[in-house]
Amino acid sequence: MKVIFLDIDGVMVTGSYQRPSTHYNGYQFNPSCVENLKQIMKQTGASIVVSSTWRKAGFRFLKQMFTANGIDKGLVGQTPVLVNRDRGDEIQQYIEEAQLDPSFTVEQFVILDDHNDMGKLLPYLVQTDGHTGLDQEATKRAIKMLS
């Protein structure tokens, strides 16, 4: 399976688009970032695993958040929360645990995040600018990495 490890703030919620959601406590996703994420998913067949701190609110909340922003397919999981570890460690643990289920093996992945705390997974990062989020350039790079 191809996976997009997705941060939310700085990737989907951007400094240039600050609109409170009427469906959940937080900001709406930037519509252009939503379209870019959908483009990555459509062209690569990748699924989404949330690596954002928003995952602490639970998977049910994440489903609600994504559906409210027009992404009603593709969300399959969230990374674990590891105390005093960087995001790369959390993603690595998710990948290792997924390997235990042959139907859910992570074959290719990309990390979309506005921070670079990925440790040894840094080569898989497509870093976004928190003001613009998932723009066309980052979208092209993510598609290339998943193709």
Side-chain angles (χ1 to χ4, degrees), residues 52-103:
S52 167
T53 54
W54 279 99
R55 71 194 187 283
K56 294 177 184 177
F59 194 71
R60 185 175 177 189
F61 174 81
L62 292 173
K63 288 289 274 184
Q64 176 187 359
M65 176 187 258
F66 277 71
T67 299
N69 284 286
I71 304 168
D72 53 358
K73 296 178 186 174
L75 181 63
V76 298
Q78 62 192 58
T79 57
V81 177
L82 303 177
V83 179
N84 297 323
R85 303 287 290 278
D86 65 27
R87 191 157 292 173
D89 292 335
E90 294 169 335
I91 292 169
Q92 183 64 47
Q93 182 165 327
Y94 181 92
I95 292 169
E96 289 170 4
E97 289 176 2
Q99 304 305 76
L100 301 175
D101 179 355
S103 65

Side-chain angles (χ1 to χ4, degrees), residues 11 18 20 23 25 30 37 42 44 57 73 81 86 96 117:
V11 179
Q18 295 283 305
H23 300 284
N25 187 18
N30 183 321
L37 180 62
K42 181 178 180 181
T44 66
K73 296 178 186 174
V81 177
D86 65 27
E96 289 170 4
D117 57 340

Side-chain angles (χ1 to χ4, degrees), residues 39-40 135-145:
Q39 181 182 354
I40 296 168
D135 60 15
Q136 276 294 313
E137 181 58 34
T139 299
K140 289 176 190 173
R141 289 179 48 219
I143 289 169
K144 184 176 181 180
M145 289 176 76

